Amino acid sequence: QKSPEQAETFMLDYLQRHAITDMTLWKYLADWQVGQKRLTQALQTWQQHEATFGASNQTRLARLQVLWELKDKEQAKAVMASLENPVLAEMTPYQLEILAELHWQNKDYAQAQQYYSHLVQTITEKTPVATRTSYYTRLAETQKEQGDDPGALQTLQSAWQATHEPDLLLNALQMAM
């Protein structure tokens, strides 16, 4: 019986020995490592893949996600800066959230607004209430930070009308004062 660590070692050796360029297998390994809370190893997996085959936005986004999980915001910001014309449709909602938050922290409100606008468009009936409220609120905050108070208020009012979430109405009232 092989241990999970032995399986991980075997797979990594196999990927390297046979110069496997198929991202699917590398992603499978890194995702498994993340699921096992082996975040440092997942980061190393992506770094090894990039060192061998070169970096792409997909690998950079994967590293960004692992760095975020490791709470290494400075390295995550460095990876964010290395993204080359990222395509929103190619990102997971979680990656969009990370980028939106990093841009917010950098006070790059225009870019954060772009990501939060896209996230708002991904909201469905199944989206948790806290997530919906967070997206709409942060979108309104990015508008307000850019001097668009009426737009921010409109965002929250529209969000409240669409969802009837009391927190959104409270946020709108606070913003109006």
Side-chain angles (χ1 to χ4, degrees), residues 68-85:
W68 184 259
E69 292 290 324
L70 285 167
K71 301 190 182 340
D72 189 343
K73 291 180 183 176
E74 291 311 309
Q75 283 299 312
K77 287 177 183 180
V79 171
M80 177 183 71
S82 74
L83 290 172
E84 299 169 353
N85 301 318

PDB file of all heavy atoms in Angstrom, residues 68-85:
ATOM      1  N   TRP A  68      -2.180  33.201  -2.264  1.00  0.00           N
ATOM      2  CA  TRP A  68      -3.257  33.793  -1.477  1.00  0.00           C
ATOM      3  C   TRP A  68      -3.613  32.875  -0.311  1.00  0.00           C
ATOM      4  O   TRP A  68      -3.797  33.329   0.821  1.00  0.00           O
ATOM      5  CB  TRP A  68      -4.457  34.051  -2.376  1.00  0.00           C
ATOM      6  CG  TRP A  68      -5.593  34.751  -1.706  1.00  0.00           C
ATOM      7  CD1 TRP A  68      -6.740  34.172  -1.227  1.00  0.00           C
ATOM      8  CD2 TRP A  68      -5.714  36.144  -1.432  1.00  0.00           C
ATOM      9  NE1 TRP A  68      -7.547  35.126  -0.676  1.00  0.00           N
ATOM     10  CE2 TRP A  68      -6.945  36.350  -0.795  1.00  0.00           C
ATOM     11  CE3 TRP A  68      -4.887  37.240  -1.676  1.00  0.00           C
ATOM     12  CZ2 TRP A  68      -7.380  37.601  -0.396  1.00  0.00           C
ATOM     13  CZ3 TRP A  68      -5.322  38.479  -1.280  1.00  0.00           C
ATOM     14  CH2 TRP A  68      -6.556  38.656  -0.635  1.00  0.00           C
ATOM     15  N   GLU A  69      -3.701  31.572  -0.602  1.00  0.00           N
ATOM     16  CA  GLU A  69      -4.003  30.602   0.460  1.00  0.00           C
ATOM     17  C   GLU A  69      -2.896  30.572   1.518  1.00  0.00           C
ATOM     18  O   GLU A  69      -3.162  30.359   2.690  1.00  0.00           O
ATOM     19  CB  GLU A  69      -4.191  29.199  -0.131  1.00  0.00           C
ATOM     20  CG  GLU A  69      -5.428  29.045  -0.980  1.00  0.00           C
ATOM     21  CD  GLU A  69      -6.710  29.091  -0.168  1.00  0.00           C
ATOM     22  OE1 GLU A  69      -6.728  28.586   0.965  1.00  0.00           O
ATOM     23  OE2 GLU A  69      -7.691  29.657  -0.681  1.00  0.00           O
ATOM     24  N   LEU A  70      -1.663  30.800   1.073  1.00  0.00           N
ATOM     25  CA  LEU A  70      -0.525  30.846   1.997  1.00  0.00           C
ATOM     26  C   LEU A  70      -0.440  32.185   2.734  1.00  0.00           C
ATOM     27  O   LEU A  70       0.438  32.376   3.567  1.00  0.00           O
ATOM     28  CB  LEU A  70       0.788  30.606   1.233  1.00  0.00           C
ATOM     29  CG  LEU A  70       1.067  29.173   0.802  1.00  0.00           C
ATOM     30  CD1 LEU A  70       2.216  29.129  -0.203  1.00  0.00           C
ATOM     31  CD2 LEU A  70       1.372  28.313   2.019  1.00  0.00           C
ATOM     32  N   LYS A  71      -1.339  33.111   2.375  1.00  0.00           N
ATOM     33  CA  LYS A  71      -1.387  34.450   2.962  1.00  0.00           C
ATOM     34  C   LYS A  71      -0.113  35.247   2.678  1.00  0.00           C
ATOM     35  O   LYS A  71       0.315  36.084   3.475  1.00  0.00           O
ATOM     36  CB  LYS A  71      -1.687  34.390   4.455  1.00  0.00           C
ATOM     37  CG  LYS A  71      -3.022  33.709   4.734  1.00  0.00           C
ATOM     38  CD  LYS A  71      -3.455  33.838   6.152  1.00  0.00           C
ATOM     39  CE  LYS A  71      -4.745  33.137   6.488  1.00  0.00           C
ATOM     40  NZ  LYS A  71      -5.673  32.778   5.482  1.00  0.00           N
ATOM     41  N   ASP A  72       0.486  34.984   1.533  1.00  0.00           N
ATOM     42  CA  ASP A  72       1.678  35.709   1.087  1.00  0.00           C
ATOM     43  C   ASP A  72       1.230  36.772   0.087  1.00  0.00           C
ATOM     44  O   ASP A  72       1.375  36.623  -1.126  1.00  0.00           O
ATOM     45  CB  ASP A  72       2.677  34.739   0.459  1.00  0.00           C
ATOM     46  CG  ASP A  72       4.024  35.397   0.177  1.00  0.00           C
ATOM     47  OD1 ASP A  72       4.093  36.649   0.160  1.00  0.00           O
ATOM     48  OD2 ASP A  72       4.998  34.658  -0.037  1.00  0.00           O
ATOM     49  N   LYS A  73       0.669  37.846   0.618  1.00  0.00           N
ATOM     50  CA  LYS A  73       0.078  38.880  -0.237  1.00  0.00           C
ATOM     51  C   LYS A  73       1.114  39.604  -1.084  1.00  0.00           C
ATOM     52  O   LYS A  73       0.818  39.996  -2.213  1.00  0.00           O
ATOM     53  CB  LYS A  73      -0.719  39.873   0.610  1.00  0.00           C
ATOM     54  CG  LYS A  73      -1.966  39.246   1.193  1.00  0.00           C
ATOM     55  CD  LYS A  73      -2.745  40.227   2.023  1.00  0.00           C
ATOM     56  CE  LYS A  73      -3.940  39.516   2.646  1.00  0.00           C
ATOM     57  NZ  LYS A  73      -4.696  40.358   3.531  1.00  0.00           N
ATOM     58  N   GLU A  74       2.309  39.769  -0.569  1.00  0.00           N
ATOM     59  CA  GLU A  74       3.332  40.479  -1.345  1.00  0.00           C
ATOM     60  C   GLU A  74       3.722  39.685  -2.584  1.00  0.00           C
ATOM     61  O   GLU A  74       3.824  40.245  -3.682  1.00  0.00           O
ATOM     62  CB  GLU A  74       4.548  40.797  -0.478  1.00  0.00           C
ATOM     63  CG  GLU A  74       4.277  41.835   0.598  1.00  0.00           C
ATOM     64  CD  GLU A  74       3.584  43.093   0.072  1.00  0.00           C
ATOM     65  OE1 GLU A  74       4.071  43.685  -0.921  1.00  0.00           O
ATOM     66  OE2 GLU A  74       2.543  43.486   0.639  1.00  0.00           O
ATOM     67  N   GLN A  75       3.918  38.391  -2.424  1.00  0.00           N
ATOM     68  CA  GLN A  75       4.241  37.562  -3.590  1.00  0.00           C
ATOM     69  C   GLN A  75       3.033  37.461  -4.527  1.00  0.00           C
ATOM     70  O   GLN A  75       3.187  37.439  -5.749  1.00  0.00           O
ATOM     71  CB  GLN A  75       4.690  36.161  -3.158  1.00  0.00           C
ATOM     72  CG  GLN A  75       6.102  36.110  -2.640  1.00  0.00           C
ATOM     73  CD  GLN A  75       7.108  36.531  -3.697  1.00  0.00           C
ATOM     74  OE1 GLN A  75       7.074  36.078  -4.837  1.00  0.00           O
ATOM     75  NE2 GLN A  75       8.009  37.439  -3.334  1.00  0.00           N
ATOM     76  N   ALA A  76       1.834  37.407  -3.951  1.00  0.00           N
ATOM     77  CA  ALA A  76       0.618  37.366  -4.777  1.00  0.00           C
ATOM     78  C   ALA A  76       0.520  38.638  -5.619  1.00  0.00           C
ATOM     79  O   ALA A  76       0.176  38.581  -6.802  1.00  0.00           O
ATOM     80  CB  ALA A  76      -0.621  37.194  -3.899  1.00  0.00           C
ATOM     81  N   LYS A  77       0.846  39.780  -5.021  1.00  0.00           N
ATOM     82  CA  LYS A  77       0.820  41.041  -5.775  1.00  0.00           C
ATOM     83  C   LYS A  77       1.863  41.027  -6.891  1.00  0.00           C
ATOM     84  O   LYS A  77       1.608  41.549  -7.988  1.00  0.00           O
ATOM     85  CB  LYS A  77       1.049  42.228  -4.834  1.00  0.00           C
ATOM     86  CG  LYS A  77      -0.133  42.530  -3.946  1.00  0.00           C
ATOM     87  CD  LYS A  77       0.164  43.670  -2.990  1.00  0.00           C
ATOM     88  CE  LYS A  77      -1.007  43.910  -2.046  1.00  0.00           C
ATOM     89  NZ  LYS A  77      -0.734  45.018  -1.110  1.00  0.00           N
ATOM     90  N   ALA A  78       3.020  40.434  -6.625  1.00  0.00           N
ATOM     91  CA  ALA A  78       4.056  40.349  -7.661  1.00  0.00           C
ATOM     92  C   ALA A  78       3.575  39.476  -8.825  1.00  0.00           C
ATOM     93  O   ALA A  78       3.788  39.821  -9.997  1.00  0.00           O
ATOM     94  CB  ALA A  78       5.355  39.799  -7.076  1.00  0.00           C
ATOM     95  N   VAL A  79       2.917  38.374  -8.513  1.00  0.00           N
ATOM     96  CA  VAL A  79       2.382  37.511  -9.566  1.00  0.00           C
ATOM     97  C   VAL A  79       1.281  38.251 -10.323  1.00  0.00           C
ATOM     98  O   VAL A  79       1.208  38.190 -11.552  1.00  0.00           O
ATOM     99  CB  VAL A  79       1.872  36.173  -8.990  1.00  0.00           C
ATOM    100  CG1 VAL A  79       1.119  35.375 -10.039  1.00  0.00           C
ATOM    101  CG2 VAL A  79       3.027  35.360  -8.431  1.00  0.00           C
ATOM    102  N   MET A  80       0.424  38.962  -9.587  1.00  0.00           N
ATOM    103  CA  MET A  80      -0.644  39.735 -10.220  1.00  0.00           C
ATOM    104  C   MET A  80      -0.050  40.716 -11.233  1.00  0.00           C
ATOM    105  O   MET A  80      -0.562  40.851 -12.352  1.00  0.00           O
ATOM    106  CB  MET A  80      -1.447  40.492  -9.159  1.00  0.00           C
ATOM    107  CG  MET A  80      -2.534  41.385  -9.725  1.00  0.00           C
ATOM    108  SD  MET A  80      -3.411  42.329  -8.448  1.00  0.00           S
ATOM    109  CE  MET A  80      -2.162  43.506  -7.947  1.00  0.00           C
ATOM    110  N   ALA A  81       1.029  41.365 -10.866  1.00  0.00           N
ATOM    111  CA  ALA A  81       1.665  42.349 -11.752  1.00  0.00           C
ATOM    112  C   ALA A  81       2.250  41.691 -13.004  1.00  0.00           C
ATOM    113  O   ALA A  81       2.411  42.345 -14.034  1.00  0.00           O
ATOM    114  CB  ALA A  81       2.753  43.107 -11.005  1.00  0.00           C
ATOM    115  N   SER A  82       2.537  40.390 -12.928  1.00  0.00           N
ATOM    116  CA  SER A  82       3.132  39.691 -14.070  1.00  0.00           C
ATOM    117  C   SER A  82       2.095  39.145 -15.054  1.00  0.00           C
ATOM    118  O   SER A  82       2.465  38.640 -16.112  1.00  0.00           O
ATOM    119  CB  SER A  82       4.026  38.541 -13.579  1.00  0.00           C
ATOM    120  OG  SER A  82       3.240  37.463 -13.104  1.00  0.00           O
ATOM    121  N   LEU A  83       0.814  39.251 -14.711  1.00  0.00           N
ATOM    122  CA  LEU A  83      -0.223  38.763 -15.628  1.00  0.00           C
ATOM    123  C   LEU A  83      -0.215  39.599 -16.902  1.00  0.00           C
ATOM    124  O   LEU A  83      -0.099  40.821 -16.851  1.00  0.00           O
ATOM    125  CB  LEU A  83      -1.603  38.832 -14.963  1.00  0.00           C
ATOM    126  CG  LEU A  83      -1.841  37.832 -13.830  1.00  0.00           C
ATOM    127  CD1 LEU A  83      -3.153  38.141 -13.129  1.00  0.00           C
ATOM    128  CD2 LEU A  83      -1.827  36.415 -14.342  1.00  0.00           C
ATOM    129  N   GLU A  84      -0.353  38.921 -18.024  1.00  0.00           N
ATOM    130  CA  GLU A  84      -0.318  39.586 -19.325  1.00  0.00           C
ATOM    131  C   GLU A  84      -1.717  39.610 -19.924  1.00  0.00           C
ATOM    132  O   GLU A  84      -2.208  38.582 -20.393  1.00  0.00           O
ATOM    133  CB  GLU A  84       0.655  38.862 -20.249  1.00  0.00           C
ATOM    134  CG  GLU A  84       2.077  38.852 -19.720  1.00  0.00           C
ATOM    135  CD  GLU A  84       2.983  37.922 -20.491  1.00  0.00           C
ATOM    136  OE1 GLU A  84       2.511  37.167 -21.361  1.00  0.00           O
ATOM    137  OE2 GLU A  84       4.193  37.956 -20.210  1.00  0.00           O
ATOM    138  N   ASN A  85      -2.358  40.764 -19.884  1.00  0.00           N
ATOM    139  CA  ASN A  85      -3.703  40.926 -20.445  1.00  0.00           C
ATOM    140  C   ASN A  85      -4.639  39.786 -20.041  1.00  0.00           C
ATOM    141  O   ASN A  85      -5.127  39.041 -20.886  1.00  0.00           O
ATOM    142  CB  ASN A  85      -3.649  41.033 -21.976  1.00  0.00           C
ATOM    143  CG  ASN A  85      -2.801  42.191 -22.426  1.00  0.00           C
ATOM    144  OD1 ASN A  85      -2.868  43.277 -21.866  1.00  0.00           O
ATOM    145  ND2 ASN A  85      -1.983  41.971 -23.439  1.00  0.00           N
TER     146      ASN A  85
END
